[in-house]
Amino acid sequence: MELKRYKLGEILELQRGYDLPSSQQKAGNVLVAGSNGIIGYHNEIRGNHPCITVGRSGSVGKVHYYEQPTWAHNTALFVKDFKGNNPQYLYYFLKNLHLDEMFVKGSSVVPSLDRKVVHSLVVPFHKEVVCQKRIALVLSNIDRKIELNRAINQNLEAMAKLLYDYWFVQFDFPNEEGKPYKSSGGEMVWNEKLKRDIPASWKTKAIEDIADVYNGATPSTVNEQNYGGDIVWITPKDLSDQKQKFVYQGERNISQAGYNSCSTHLLPPNTILMSSRAPIGLLSIAKTELCTNQGFKSFVPQAENISTYLYYYLNIHIKQIEQLGTGTTFKEVSREDVLKFPILKPSDAILDLWEERVSALNNKQFEIQKENEYLTKQRDELLPLLMNGQVSVNSDLSVYKKKRRGRILSLTLNQVSDIQILHCQSIVLLSEQVLMDEFQTECLIILVVITFGAEVFVTVAWHVLLEETSQVFQAFGLVLLEVTAHDDDAPVGEVTSSIAVLPKADVAVQITLTDVYAKAIGILHHATTVSVAKLLTQVEIKIKNQIFLFHK
């Protein structure tokens, strides 16, 4: 679909924000929005609600959207007049313009964005507000899922840090009776190196006693053949940009020739990467074989049970490590200083137990991290296609044909491949032993397809993927989804928008999506047999909230 083009000034009006020195900010719940996000809070509103800001100076062209009351700072422009357009759509519209590439450099070293130049841009634009809302809904639901995942990972990380503090700072790890060691009177001894009491069986070691430490290197950038290969190569900028606990890819790979040309070292999974200059102290755990540039000291654990412990130990002692840095242009920590850095070595039994407890958290965090990276990639690829009219949001999802089966409205998939137009799906696989009696469940798949248009389709497969699907029902993201079975003659008049009616009424599953796990109730329903209540069985299932295409 080819879109009509308009001057941006016909679509919206930008205005420079208002000066507010930090010394004049007063306690309140109004966020102060600068060029790169929230820079403080105040007690007065100066800006639209919702508020869209575009970085004017500093982080030029960076676009932010705020639902909360906002003071738009003078380092940003804000949308003063939406001119009847959907605000959330305008946010994504502005993001797609990449205004950070259009700033004007004047005599000042700080680039700035001229709103008059922005207003003069001629751009394709969806004028229909209904269409704007559909596009905004698709993109905003992806962003909500990303934010939800981030919140889950932050909670998981808080749990891991709390456990580390409880075991290795307060020394209340489980003793032989499962009770807190120190609080239960466990023996403590003074350690001269650490200047504190430690558990009697624990030792003080140097880093070199528990890990091998490697420097990195950079292949010559003059030779293009050194880059673009299959060897993952990490720089401090990668960690700074990604801001993740785990790392498995960088901005660019190097080739085997590039690897052979320099002194970098191939590091195994579970290596701890620590940036040793510009800046000192960025940490990440390698989840694949990789190498680094010279900006790292990388720790390869000598035992499997100490990797995660070492990550957190370095994390809480990073200030002391920073103080070891020397240099005039920028400080750098030497390999020799890192090797001699003292570390408290718990007993192997405690390290084994710690690794067992925390590995589940790590695995889930990494799974969510990868999902978010996939979501982000999908959103960023979808954004220009939607904004430029190359892809449209189909309001009635016409790939589905309505038909009647008795008195119950159902839908038919044209092809399994049509599911590709949907942006999120969760597959729940019930094992053969889930249900009771003689009801066989081999190959039974409940496929919950959550579209970012907030419509949900449920398909039941029995040996083969059936064409019969449920009545469309409304849902949003990770909320309670209920699927209730009825026979063909059951009354459907009182079925609410959150209920899907399965035409054949063989089985139903109630799914409560919470974080990463859910409880499911499997219901056996034979129309002529005993009541459903007598056939209930509760099962535990894992919900995989990942985006991928369904293939039988």
Side-chain angles (χ1 to χ4, degrees), residues 8 153 283:
L8 195 139
N153 261 4
L283 288 168

PDB file of all heavy atoms in Angstrom, residues 8 153 283:
ATOM      1  N   LEU A   8       6.094  16.973   7.896  1.00  0.00           N
ATOM      2  CA  LEU A   8       5.939  16.536   9.283  1.00  0.00           C
ATOM      3  C   LEU A   8       5.214  17.588  10.122  1.00  0.00           C
ATOM      4  O   LEU A   8       4.487  17.259  11.056  1.00  0.00           O
ATOM      5  CB  LEU A   8       7.309  16.212   9.890  1.00  0.00           C
ATOM      6  CG  LEU A   8       7.265  15.410  11.190  1.00  0.00           C
ATOM      7  CD1 LEU A   8       8.352  14.350  11.216  1.00  0.00           C
ATOM      8  CD2 LEU A   8       7.441  16.322  12.397  1.00  0.00           C
ATOM      9  N   ASN A 153      13.418 -10.731  34.707  1.00  0.00           N
ATOM     10  CA  ASN A 153      14.853 -10.966  34.864  1.00  0.00           C
ATOM     11  C   ASN A 153      15.443 -10.161  36.013  1.00  0.00           C
ATOM     12  O   ASN A 153      16.341 -10.622  36.716  1.00  0.00           O
ATOM     13  CB  ASN A 153      15.588 -10.661  33.556  1.00  0.00           C
ATOM     14  CG  ASN A 153      15.874 -11.926  32.770  1.00  0.00           C
ATOM     15  OD1 ASN A 153      15.464 -13.020  33.163  1.00  0.00           O
ATOM     16  ND2 ASN A 153      16.575 -11.795  31.664  1.00  0.00           N
ATOM     17  N   LEU A 283      30.865  -6.602  33.582  1.00  0.00           N
ATOM     18  CA  LEU A 283      30.958  -8.052  33.780  1.00  0.00           C
ATOM     19  C   LEU A 283      29.888  -8.780  32.986  1.00  0.00           C
ATOM     20  O   LEU A 283      28.754  -8.299  32.849  1.00  0.00           O
ATOM     21  CB  LEU A 283      30.790  -8.406  35.265  1.00  0.00           C
ATOM     22  CG  LEU A 283      31.936  -8.072  36.214  1.00  0.00           C
ATOM     23  CD1 LEU A 283      31.473  -8.208  37.655  1.00  0.00           C
ATOM     24  CD2 LEU A 283      33.138  -8.969  35.959  1.00  0.00           C
TER      25      LEU A 283
END
